[in-house]
Amino acid sequence: MEKILAEILTIDSSQLDAIDLSEYRKITDSIGTPKDWFYMKSGAEHYRLLVFISGLFKNKTLLDIGTYQGSSSIAMSHNPKNLINSFDINQQPEIARIRIPNINYTVGNILDFPDLIIESPFILPDTYHDGSFEEAFMEKIIEINYKGFILFDDIYLN
């Protein structure tokens, strides 16, 4: 885990911006994702960072909490050796068009699945940003003694 942390902390924006995301153009166009979001430079959006992080794990289950239009799960699926479990409390119709074999979409509350949380070395909680889920999630990971990486995005929206 220390090696992974070191790699995350030492990657720079020029390396992230050099990641080619063009293979995802057909998928993101078909689901109606705002076209600029997924392809923005690092620092403006987090998708290139998620692609990079996915490559640091092998044969692991990574969690995307808050599916919405599926963009984060698409980026996290970049390493086909990992399984991405994406959870949302609401059915998201856009994801029906995403056909990536290493992504599982689930309608449900991840807090009801502590075993999935504990076994995932990387979690992206990206839900409605009113602070209520974040607080409940933090309580849960403390309760189960979680020992992995968590990347909170949109931290200034709360």
Side-chain angles (χ1 to χ4, degrees):
M1 294 293 255
E2 289 178 23
K3 181 179 184 243
I4 290 172
L5 179 59
E7 291 191 48
I8 292 170
L9 293 177
T10 57
I11 187 89
D12 67 32
S13 61
S14 65
Q15 292 168 296
L16 290 173
D17 292 340
I19 295 173
D20 182 9
L21 300 177
S22 62
E23 70 182 274
Y24 302 108
R25 182 69 63 186
K26 185 176 179 181
I27 296 168
T28 59
D29 286 357
S30 76
I31 60 175
T33 301
K35 298 195 182 349
D36 295 339
W37 287 6
F38 194 83
Y39 303 96
M40 289 177 133
K41 298 285 185 185
S42 61
E45 278 294 345
H46 62 295
Y47 301 111
R48 292 173 190 277
L49 179 60
L50 292 176
V51 167
F52 172 75
I53 290 172
S54 77
L56 301 177
F57 297 97
K58 183 177 178 185
N59 299 317
K60 299 293 182 188
T61 299
L62 311 180
L63 284 179
D64 169 39
I65 305 171
T67 303
Y68 188 46
Q69 293 181 323
S71 297
S72 293
S73 62
I74 292 168
M76 291 169 68
S77 76
H78 185 75
N79 181 351
K81 295 186 183 299
N82 295 323
L83 173 66
I84 311 308
N85 278 327
S86 184
F87 277 78
D88 204 299
I89 58 171
N90 297 310
Q91 179 65 39
Q92 301 296 336
E94 294 88 354
I95 64 168
R97 293 187 293 275
I98 299 172
R99 303 271 195 274
I100 300 176
N102 64 325
I103 304 176
N104 288 329
Y105 291 107
T106 302
V107 176
N109 187 338
I110 189 60
L111 298 178
D112 296 333
F113 300 89
D115 291 344
L116 289 178
I117 296 171
I118 203 81
E119 75 181 34
S120 177
F122 179 78
I123 301 173
L124 174 73
D126 186 7
T127 63
Y128 182 71
H129 300 291
D130 68 356
S132 61
F133 174 79
E134 290 88 346
E135 182 176 352
F137 181 71
M138 292 301 295
E139 289 172 2
K140 178 60 78 175
I141 64 168
I142 291 167
E143 173 190 320
I144 64 175
N145 198 28
Y146 178 74
K147 300 285 186 201
F149 296 100
I150 302 171
L151 176 67
F152 289 93
D153 79 329
D154 299 327
I155 60 174
Y156 294 109
L157 293 179
N158 294 342

